[in-house]
Amino acid sequence: MKTPLYWIDAFSRRRFSGNPAAVVITDEPLAEDLMLGIAAENNLAETAFVVPRGARFSIRWFTPTVEMDLCGHATLASAFALNLSGQAKGDPILFDSRSGELSVGAQGERLALNFPARPSSPGNLNERVAEALGLRPVVVHEAQATMAIL
């Protein structure tokens, strides 16, 4: 099976600068172990796997060792690759991901990514966190991760 792979430097107009990401666009989803193997072979921070779904695209991101919930630069690289390959279905490009809907739209010569909001709420202090920090936070908030205000 031949599968094209795009190597794109996000946040840059020059080669070998910015944030590199690999993008693999396939007609059908690949097996998870195959995506992980491709990402490990690329050895980049992230490799994005994109599958067309009508006017939208599904997207998943893998590091060389794990799947990620969200990756900005690889999403921008994916939108660029879809435009480059002629597969973009309009503006904005809509992606479905583990983190919800993401959209990438053109703003002049640039692409702009719309991330989902993840508001935090007050949380409870985990004593192990206070021990690890060596001090007690003033406030603790929780969202996808725990944030301690010191």
Side-chain angles (χ1 to χ4, degrees):
M1 167 177 74
K2 289 186 177 183
T3 303
L5 180 135
Y6 297 84
W7 185 301
I8 297 173
D9 293 318
F11 308 126
S12 180
R13 291 178 187 252
R14 293 181 297 120
R15 289 182 182 164
F16 312 118
S17 62
N19 289 67
V23 179
V24 176
I25 304 170
T26 59
D27 292 333
E28 295 296 326
L30 300 177
E32 197 164 306
D33 63 331
L34 179 57
M35 290 188 284
L36 192 56
I38 292 169
E41 182 76 15
N42 290 331
N43 200 28
L44 292 171
E46 272 86 18
T47 298
F49 294 88
V50 178
V51 180
R53 294 283 180 238
R56 304 169 73 89
F57 299 89
S58 67
I59 188 167
R60 293 174 74 179
W61 310 271
F62 285 80
T63 74
T65 58
V66 297
E67 183 172 7
M68 301 297 293
D69 287 333
L70 186 62
C71 179
H73 78 284
T75 303
L76 288 170
S78 296
F80 188 84
L82 289 167
N83 280 321
L84 192 65
S85 68
Q87 295 181 63
K89 306 277 196 253
D91 186 31
I93 298 171
L94 300 176
F95 294 98
D96 295 312
S97 75
R98 286 175 32 167
S99 294
E101 181 184 275
L102 307 172
S103 66
V104 178
Q107 290 187 350
E109 292 183 4
R110 297 175 186 234
L111 295 174
L113 175 59
N114 186 6
F115 271 164
R118 292 187 176 152
S120 66
S121 58
N124 296 315
L125 176 63
N126 180 326
E127 292 301 326
R128 290 177 53 201
V129 172
E131 283 180 32
L133 293 172
L135 50 105
R136 296 190 70 74
V138 176
V139 177
V140 174
H141 281 265
E142 296 174 352
Q144 187 175 8
T146 300
M147 298 171 277
I149 299 173
L150 306 173

